[in-house]
Amino acid sequence: AQLSGPFNPTSDSCSNVTLPAHGHCTMSIAFAPISGSTSKTSQSGNVTLGYTYGSNSGSMPIALSGMVK
C-alpha cells in the first residue's frame, strides 16, 4: 500500500504480501496534520492498494481526509 498526504500507517499487514483467495489484511492509518496548519482546515490524501486478479493487475486508490483541530 502507498500513502499520500498527511497520513501515517500505524499498522499494516497488507503491504508486500500476496493474499490467498478470500484472504484479508488490515491497515490502520493516523491523520498527522501538516505542521503549522490552520485550525478547522481539511487535508486530504490517498491510500492506494495494488491487486492482481488472474492475469489482470491494477491499483485502487481510496480517498482519505482529516480535519485539523
Side-chain angles (χ1 to χ4, degrees), residues 5-49:
F7 298 91
N8 295 317
T10 57
S11 68
D12 179 3
S13 69
C14 300
S15 293
N16 302 313
V17 298
T18 300
L19 297 173
H22 306 288
H24 67 276
C25 63
T26 59
M27 176 182 248
S28 296
I29 300 169
F31 178 53
I34 299 167
S35 180
S37 297
T38 305
S39 180
K40 303 209 187 291
T41 57
S42 178
Q43 296 178 3
S44 61
N46 288 295
V47 59
T48 302
L49 302 172

